């Protein structure tokens, strides 16, 4: 691998670390009586809101329809995701240092698979929150579930729920694109030799 | 027969015409151009007003907050009067706010709101207001729009010439409108001239929680009516109007109107500070209260004060001068440059304007025409800058637009007159409906007025609105003063009496407005910050219920073991942390008001149950879809019963 491919691979590996400083995903609830909207941010290691009290406010809304309380402490993924990302970043740097093109491809496939698993896991949590409702809930709408969309917009009773990647999602995509670019450049270099 | 019929017919016709004529004869509305005016005051749904206007509630004792130009009522801030709607003065936390040296006084007559200033410009941190009846001054915090501090004024009666702040909010002032024996004592009323004195009081205002009487100046027993502090070059001085320089004590409407001239008292408060440093102040016994509401404990405390420092003019030369001013001057207003001091001689047609520069020269040259109790009286000719021959009658108050114009209200001729500073010529006049008292231009008594609107604060309403029986709300009238001619735009009723008002651009205040009280900052001694910690505790016959509210339940909501003869304290903490989610609490038969608890706040309702039974309690503020379910029960057993204290929510203790 040439130096340029190695540098790009290193950047790809380091971009993953940005997931520790920006949220991965954002879910925003909008209703007339919430003029500012209520936004929840999903990080690799925590769940936050616009204010320190947003989660409490979302939980209060959710309890009317019998959804479980969102308690970040009870979500194990938030504990081991940081290790997965940290390890992948380290491995990525190792790949860049070793400079073997096939290793880049392996790392890239591994990252894409992990992202796919992460999204699937996110979907399962959303499904669980949206469907696993308290039978004693004060508001019961027959046939209604409250699963927010994985990607996109959906009406949940009076709330419009928007779910889209946030800055972290961008860094992750960037990491994937850069790794692919590194692999491609290394290929071009190999041919030119 | 035909003749009779036609007579009858013409009679009916006449009656009909008369009736039509009566209803058709529309009174003068005062409007020039209705279509244009409607556009100017229209604030579309969801849009914000340009100004906050803080209107004194007058004899309601409160401040009402309106939006301008729409005239929409935004809030009533309870200040000197109990307010059952908000539990102010009813809950344990705010009762101390209304404590005085006479005990609990649940009402006052609020007169002059005054915004805090920095460098002579309203800064939107606080608004002060005076209580006239039991002399007091209150501070309202404009991040919460709550009354946070009240200080009583000793040795004073009728705190009218107040609070009229100094340029950097150093002091608010208080002059006595009704002179009283100083210190109070039992003397014959007709010994007025010998025993009655006035007091001009300076209260430190620039630190929340530390309002304090810095000093009082002992002055002759006149009626000190209104005041304004100097600005710019006259910063360091305060001007107080006087009437009753006759020192009469009965039938004042006649006996206090005999002298051709009364005085404007000019006080050099910077000089007073020097005299205080030199130790010229005399400590005198007094008795007054200072009440402070701490936003972190959500609780007010009332502290008794026992002493004041008094300055005596005869011992402090240069501290105070009298400026002769014709005809019982009412308002005294200082123009934005600080040069002109306008005396509104309420029993005359004219305004007397004094010059600050000429006053300083006259003092230097000792152009005195006499002296009262060591206070030099300056010669009118030596201080007068000019006279405004208005053509109106009964001038009361003047404000300024910052473009070289002044606007004066005339109570008797019921109008506002616009005139030019320096040339004293009358430029325009507009009728008021009816009998205007104060007027208000946003920032109109400051160094930089926002001279777009003028509000006339009227005393008499009569036929302006749909009748509501003998008592009617007083009216406020909004004029556009951006052009050469004043244009009446809007007419709206206000709460109590819009005695005086102040206004400030909305963006200065709204950015600091709080949405919640952070629960982690709640230091109330009886707060419960977690539903796990709710409980009921008995100590003798005192029972404390540590209860929480969050949509949509109280915890606990079933309480047993209360007995007749108990004194039950409901310490309700609202655990909500979302904007606009207050919860109320009311208990059947409680001889008290409701609680209305803001997010993150703790408030206490005292209940003394009288009869055994089971009593419901509920949330009064429609909080959520399940608000109607937000209720509970308290079981009251007979005195001496053996029912143990027990509390629960959904069967769980």
């Amino acid at each position: 691998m040439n130096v340029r491919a190695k540098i790009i691979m290193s950047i790809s590996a380091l971009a993953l670390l940005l997931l520790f400083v920006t949220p991965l995903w954002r879910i925003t609830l909008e209703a007339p009586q919430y003029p500012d909207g209520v936004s929840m941010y999903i990080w690799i290691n925590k769940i936050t809101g616009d204010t320190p009290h947003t989660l409490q406010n979302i939980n209060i809304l959710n309890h009317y329809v019998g959804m479980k309380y969102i308690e970040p402490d009870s979500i194990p993924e938030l504990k081991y995701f940081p290790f997965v990302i940290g390890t992948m970043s380290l491995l990525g740097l190792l790949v860049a240092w070793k400079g073997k093109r096939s290793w880049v491809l392996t790392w890239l496939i591994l990252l894409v698979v992990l992202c796919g698993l992460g999204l699937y896991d996110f979907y399962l949590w959303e499904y669980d929150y949206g469907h696993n409702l308290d039978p004693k809930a004060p508001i019961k709408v027959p046939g209604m579930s409250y699963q927010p969309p994985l990607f996109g917009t959906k009406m949940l009773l009076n709330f419009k729920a928007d779910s889209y990647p946030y800055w972290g999602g961008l860094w992750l995509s960037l990491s994937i694109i850069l790794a692919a670019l590194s692999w491609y450049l290394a290929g071009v270099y190999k041919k030119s030799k | 027969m035909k003749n009779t019929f036609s007579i009858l017919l013409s009679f009916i016709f006449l009656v009909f015409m008369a009736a039509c004529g009566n209803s058709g004869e529309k009174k003068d509305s005062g409007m020039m151009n209705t279509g244009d005016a409607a556009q100017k005051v229209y604030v579309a749904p969801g849009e914000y007003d340009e100004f906050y206007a803080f209107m004194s509630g007058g004899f309601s004792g409160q401040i009402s907050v309106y939006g301008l130009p729409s005239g929409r009522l935004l809030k009533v801030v309870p200040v000197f009067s109990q307010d059952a709607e908000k539990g102010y003065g009813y809950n344990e936390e705010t009762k101390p706010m209304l404590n005085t040296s006479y005990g609990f006084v649940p009402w006052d007559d609020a007169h002059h709101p005054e915004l805090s200033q920095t460098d002579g410009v309203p800064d939107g941190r606080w608004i002060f207001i005076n209580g006239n009846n039991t002399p007091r001054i209150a501070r309202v915090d404009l991040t919460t729009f709550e009354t946070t501090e009240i200080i009583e004024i000793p040795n004073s009666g009728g705190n009218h010439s107040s609070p009229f702040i100094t340029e950097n909010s150093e002091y608010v002032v208080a002059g006595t409108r009704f002179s009283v024996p100083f210190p109070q004592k039992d003397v014959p009323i007709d010994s007025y001239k010998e025993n009655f004195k006035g007091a001009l009081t300076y209260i430190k205002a620039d630190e929340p929680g530390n309002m304090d009487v810095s000093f009082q100046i002992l002055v002759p027993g006149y009626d000190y009516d209104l005041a304004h502090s100097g600005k710019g070059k006259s910063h360091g001085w305060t001007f107080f109007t006087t009437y009753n320089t006759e020192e009469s004590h009965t039938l004042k409407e006649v006996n206090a109107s005999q002298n051709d001239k009364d005085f404007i008292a000019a006080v050099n408060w910077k000089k007073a500070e020097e005299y205080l440093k030199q130790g010229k102040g005399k400590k005198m016994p007094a008795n007054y209260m200072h009440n402070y509401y701490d936003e972190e404990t959500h609780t007010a405390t009332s502290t008794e004060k026992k002493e004041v420092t008094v300055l005596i003019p005869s011992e402090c030369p240069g501290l105070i001068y009298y400026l002769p001013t014709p005809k019982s001057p009412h308002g005294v207003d200082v123009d934005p440059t600080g040069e002109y001091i306008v005396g509104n001689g309420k029993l005359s047609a004219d305004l007397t304007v004094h010059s600050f520069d000429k006053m300083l020269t006259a003092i230097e040259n000792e152009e005195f025409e006499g002296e009262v109790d060591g206070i030099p009286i300056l010669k009118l000719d030596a201080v007068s800058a000019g006279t405004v021959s208005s053509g109106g009658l009964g001038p009361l108050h003047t404000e300024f637009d910052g473009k070289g114009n002044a606007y004066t209200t005339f109570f008797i001729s019921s109008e506002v007159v616009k005139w030019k500073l320096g040339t004293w010529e009358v430029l325009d006049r507009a009728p008021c409906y009816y009998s205007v008292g104060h007027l208000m231009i946003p920032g109109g008594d400051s160094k930089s007025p926002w001279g777009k609107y003028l509000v006339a604060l009227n005393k008499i309403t009569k036929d302006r609105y749909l009748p509501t029986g003998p008592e009617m709300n007083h009216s406020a009238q909004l004029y556009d003063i951006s052009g050469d001619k004043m244009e009446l735009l809007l007419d709206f009723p206000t709460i109590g009496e819009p005695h005086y008002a102040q206004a400030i651009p909305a963006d200065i205040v709204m950015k600091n407005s709080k949405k919640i009280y952070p629960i982690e900052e709640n230091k109330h001694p009886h707060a419960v910050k977690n539903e796990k910690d709710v409980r009921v505790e008995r100590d003798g016959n005192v029972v404390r219920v540590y209860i929480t509210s969050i949509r949509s339940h109280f915890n606990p909501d079933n309480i047993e073991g209360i007995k007749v003869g108990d004194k039950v304290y409901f310490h309700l903490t609202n655990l909500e942390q979302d904007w606009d989610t207050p919860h109320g609490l009311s208990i059947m038969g409680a001889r008290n008001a409701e609680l209305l608890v803001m997010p993150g706040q703790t408030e206490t309702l005292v209940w003394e149950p009288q009869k055994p039974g089971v009593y419901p309690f509920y949330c009064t503020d429609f909080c959520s879809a399940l608000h109607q379910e937000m209720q509970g029960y308290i079981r009251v057993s007979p005195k001496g019963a053996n029912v143990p204290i027990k509390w629960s929510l959904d069967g769980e203790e």
Side-chain angles (χ1 to χ4, degrees):
Chain A
M1 267 168 79
N2 57 347
V3 178
R4 197 196 289 176
K6 281 183 177 180
I7 290 173
I8 289 171
M9 183 59 216
S10 309
I11 296 171
S12 163
L14 290 170
L16 287 182
L17 296 179
L18 290 172
L19 296 185
F20 287 91
V21 291
T22 51
L24 203 54
W25 219 265
R26 177 170 72 173
I27 299 177
T28 301
L29 300 173
E30 278 175 24
Q33 31 323 31
Y34 291 84
D36 305 332
V38 183
S39 290
M40 189 167 72
Y41 299 89
I42 296 140
W43 302 58
I44 51 161
N45 56 350
K46 59 187 172 183
I47 298 173
T48 62
D50 296 320
T51 74
H53 314 294
T54 301
L55 220 50
Q56 169 177 317
N57 297 333
I58 290 176
N59 282 333
I60 288 172
L61 294 173
N62 288 352
H63 98 280
Y64 289 118
V65 291
M67 289 169 75
K68 279 193 298 192
Y69 272 54
I70 300 168
E71 284 180 51
D73 287 350
S74 67
I75 302 174
E77 283 84 338
L78 297 176
K79 300 214 170 58
Y80 67 74
F81 269 2
F83 290 101
V84 174
I85 295 299
T87 309
M88 279 306 287
S89 184
L90 270 178
L91 283 176
L93 288 173
L94 188 71
V95 168
W97 181 58
K98 279 284 178 192
K100 273 199 176 167
R101 189 170 175 247
S102 60
W103 286 29
V104 174
L105 187 62
T106 314
W107 187 85
L108 177 60
I109 291 166
L110 186 59
L111 183 62
V112 170
V113 168
L114 283 172
C115 284
L117 286 174
L119 274 175
Y120 181 62
D121 184 63
F122 181 38
Y123 172 84
L124 289 182
W125 274 106
E126 286 190 334
Y127 185 91
D128 182 49
Y129 277 114
H131 289 82
N132 190 358
L133 304 175
D134 184 348
K136 281 178 76 185
I139 297 174
K140 274 183 279 204
V141 182
M144 186 71 195
S145 66
Y146 304 97
Q147 182 182 355
L150 192 62
F151 183 96
T153 297
K154 189 177 161 191
M155 284 303 291
L156 301 172
L157 294 186
N158 59 321
F159 280 98
K160 179 163 86 74
D162 292 321
S163 175
Y164 292 102
Y166 205 60
W167 287 107
L170 186 76
W171 308 134
L172 199 55
S173 316
L174 190 72
S175 179
I176 291 169
I177 292 166
L178 288 176
L181 183 67
S182 168
W183 178 76
Y184 171 76
L185 288 175
V188 173
Y189 178 71
K190 205 171 172 185
K191 263 189 199 158
S192 70
K193 276 212 305 192
Chain B
M1 183 62 198
K2 200 181 168 190
N3 213 12
T4 325
F5 181 75
S6 58
I7 291 172
L8 193 67
L9 201 67
S10 16
F11 180 71
I12 290 170
F13 180 74
L14 278 175
V15 169
F16 182 74
M17 282 305 287
C20 272
N22 205 16
S23 64
E25 189 188 302
K26 190 71 188 93
K27 65 181 183 190
D28 176 15
S29 73
M31 302 285 288
M32 293 196 294
N33 181 350
T34 1
D36 189 26
Q39 287 241 317
K40 285 182 176 171
V41 300
Y42 183 68
V43 177
E47 298 292 312
Y48 294 139
D49 277 289
E50 201 179 335
F51 291 94
Y52 282 99
F54 299 91
M55 304 226 177
S56 158
F59 39 76
S60 87
Q62 320 293 44
I63 290 177
S64 43
V65 188
Y66 288 82
L68 294 181
S70 74
R72 296 186 294 196
L73 176 64
L74 303 174
K75 187 179 186 179
V76 175
V77 180
V79 183
F80 294 118
S81 297
Q82 275 180 304
D83 183 2
E85 174 193 335
K86 300 180 174 72
Y88 179 83
Y90 289 95
N91 61 46
E92 294 308 293
E93 286 74 12
T94 53
K95 276 182 191 169
M97 290 303 284
L98 302 178
N99 195 28
T100 71
S101 60
Y102 305 91
F104 185 72
V105 178
W107 170 86
D108 216 306
D109 183 16
H111 275 234
H112 310 116
E114 184 84 354
L115 287 157
S116 56
Q117 295 187 357
T118 302
D119 194 26
V121 181
D123 58 22
R125 286 181 292 166
W126 315 301
I127 191 155
F128 297 90
I129 192 163
N130 60 320
N132 189 60
N133 182 54
T134 304
R136 289 179 267 184
I137 294 179
R139 179 203 308 271
V140 173
D141 185 316
L142 293 185
T143 64
T144 57
F145 287 62
E146 300 276 356
T147 305
T148 53
E149 200 165 2
I150 294 180
I151 190 162
E152 193 181 352
I153 316 297
N155 301 317
S156 189
N159 179 34
H160 196 262
S161 41
S162 180
F164 304 110
I165 204 156
T166 57
E167 197 170 276
N168 289 304
S169 308
E170 295 95 339
Y171 297 105
V172 285
V173 303
T176 180
R177 188 172 123 210
F178 314 133
S179 284
V180 286
F182 187 148
Q184 269 291 9
K185 57 187 175 232
D186 170 22
V187 294
I189 297 171
D190 64 11
S191 71
Y192 188 103
K193 285 188 181 165
E194 176 193 340
N195 284 315
F196 287 46
K197 289 284 172 200
L200 304 179
T201 308
Y202 282 73
I203 296 113
K204 191 172 148 43
D206 52 2
E207 276 176 44
N210 287 323
M211 280 178 93
D212 193 19
V213 173
S214 291
F215 60 95
Q216 294 197 300
I217 304 172
L218 191 66
V219 285
Y222 308 153
D223 290 25
Y224 293 82
D225 202 11
L226 278 150
H228 259 108
S229 290
K231 48 183 83 101
K233 62 168 121 173
S234 53
H235 176 54
W237 291 77
T238 311
F239 305 94
F240 294 87
T241 47
T242 71
Y243 63 101
N244 193 28
T245 50
E246 297 86 350
E247 296 186 79
S248 75
H249 56 84
T250 183
L251 195 64
K252 284 201 184 181
E253 64 170 315
V254 174
N255 295 328
S257 306
Q258 294 307 302
N259 288 352
D260 193 43
K261 294 186 187 68
D262 296 278
F263 302 125
I264 287 174
V267 175
N268 185 342
W269 58 260
K270 292 240 161 133
K271 196 99 183 164
E273 288 177 340
E274 286 170 26
Y275 281 125
L276 288 173
K277 266 192 202 141
Q278 293 165 22
K280 286 273 174 75
K282 288 191 166 43
K283 301 278 181 204
M284 287 180 71
N287 185 15
Y288 57 106
M289 293 292 172
H290 173 235
N291 311 327
Y292 177 59
Y293 180 86
D294 183 317
E295 211 176 85
E296 292 200 325
T297 61
H298 300 287
T299 303
T301 43
S302 185
T303 315
E304 190 175 19
K305 303 213 172 196
K306 290 283 199 183
E307 198 177 64
V308 282
T309 305
V310 177
L311 291 171
I312 296 168
S314 59
E315 297 168 10
C316 305
L319 176 63
I320 172 168
Y321 298 91
Y322 279 147
L323 283 58
T325 307
K327 295 287 170 199
S328 302
H330 188 57
V332 55
D333 301 289
V334 182
D335 87 302
T337 66
E339 163 63 6
Y340 296 120
I341 302 137
V342 182
N344 304 265
K346 68 174 182 276
L347 304 180
S348 74
D350 298 340
L351 297 166
T352 305
V353 185
H354 300 300
S355 153
F356 179 71
D357 288 342
K358 284 179 85 172
M359 183 190 88
L360 290 186
T361 312
I363 290 169
E364 206 176 316
N365 300 337
E366 299 190 353
E367 292 181 71
F368 304 142
E369 63 176 39
E371 195 185 280
V372 202
D373 296 356
I375 302 170
I377 304 168
L378 293 160
K379 285 184 182 148
L380 176 56
D381 287 347
V383 294
S384 171
T387 302
V388 181
S389 303
S390 66
L393 198 60
L396 291 187
H397 300 280
T398 301
E399 295 225 331
F400 307 91
D401 65 2
K403 299 169 208 158
N405 304 309
Y407 299 76
T408 302
T409 54
F410 288 77
F411 180 80
I412 301 172
S413 52
S414 188
E415 60 184 337
V416 179
V417 171
K418 176 183 180 183
W419 51 276
K420 198 163 183 58
L421 284 159
T423 68
W424 325 122
E425 64 185 307
V426 171
L427 301 173
D428 188 25
R429 57 201 321 130
C432 298
Y433 306 89
Y434 303 95
S435 293
V436 57
H438 279 268
L439 77 168
M440 176 272 279
I441 292 170
D445 74 339
S446 76
K447 255 163 103 173
S448 359
W450 293 275
K452 185 172 179 186
Y453 299 114
L454 180 155
V455 182
L457 305 158
N458 301 323
K459 304 292 191 194
I460 294 171
T461 307
K462 302 222 168 163
D463 63 346
R464 291 307 285 184
Y465 314 112
L466 288 174
T468 55
E471 205 227 335
M472 285 159 285
N473 280 351
H474 289 195
S475 80
Q477 287 177 317
L478 180 76
Y479 296 79
D480 179 347
I481 56 163
S482 56
D484 287 342
K485 294 275 174 199
M486 291 178 267
E487 188 192 347
L488 179 59
L489 300 178
L490 186 70
D491 182 318
F492 57 99
T494 63
I495 288 170
E497 171 209 25
H499 187 96
Y500 177 49
Q502 292 224 313
I504 186 167
D507 54 355
I508 298 177
V509 173
M510 66 182 286
K511 61 174 189 279
N512 299 323
S513 196
K514 285 188 183 160
K515 291 183 171 174
I516 58 162
Y517 295 99
I519 189 110
E520 58 275 11
E521 288 169 18
N522 181 330
K523 297 200 171 75
H524 192 293
H526 299 296
V528 180
K529 298 188 190 180
N530 192 310
E531 286 195 83
K532 290 186 204 101
D533 300 328
V534 300
R535 62 200 184 274
V536 180
E537 289 175 356
R538 173 183 286 285
D539 179 12
N541 72 331
V542 170
V543 178
R544 293 189 185 275
V545 180
Y546 296 87
I547 182 171
T548 61
S549 61
I550 196 157
R551 282 163 289 168
S552 303
H553 61 266
F554 291 107
N555 191 356
D557 66 1
N558 281 202
I559 299 163
E560 298 194 0
I562 309 293
K563 287 177 255 181
V564 171
D566 282 348
K567 192 170 187 182
V568 187
Y569 291 82
F570 283 86
H571 301 295
L572 173 61
T573 303
N574 183 354
L575 295 176
E576 303 279 359
Q577 291 286 276
D578 202 358
W579 189 20
D580 199 10
T581 53
H583 289 291
L585 171 67
S586 67
I587 301 163
M588 183 176 161
R591 292 183 296 179
N592 210 331
E594 64 161 350
L595 293 181
L596 187 64
V597 190
M598 296 304 123
Q601 203 177 27
T602 304
E603 284 185 357
T604 304
L605 181 74
V606 170
W607 180 52
E608 291 173 273
Q610 294 154 65
K611 290 180 275 186
V614 177
Y615 298 94
F617 62 92
Y618 71 100
C619 171
T620 49
D621 191 310
F622 208 112
C623 58
S624 64
L626 295 161
H627 162 73
Q628 293 298 83
E629 284 72 17
M630 194 162 169
Q631 54 183 266
Y633 287 107
I634 313 162
R635 175 180 168 191
V636 176
S637 306
K639 212 173 185 139
N642 271 330
V643 183
I645 288 278
K646 218 173 110 181
W647 66 91
S648 63
L649 169 70
D650 201 15
E652 289 176 32
E653 281 201 17

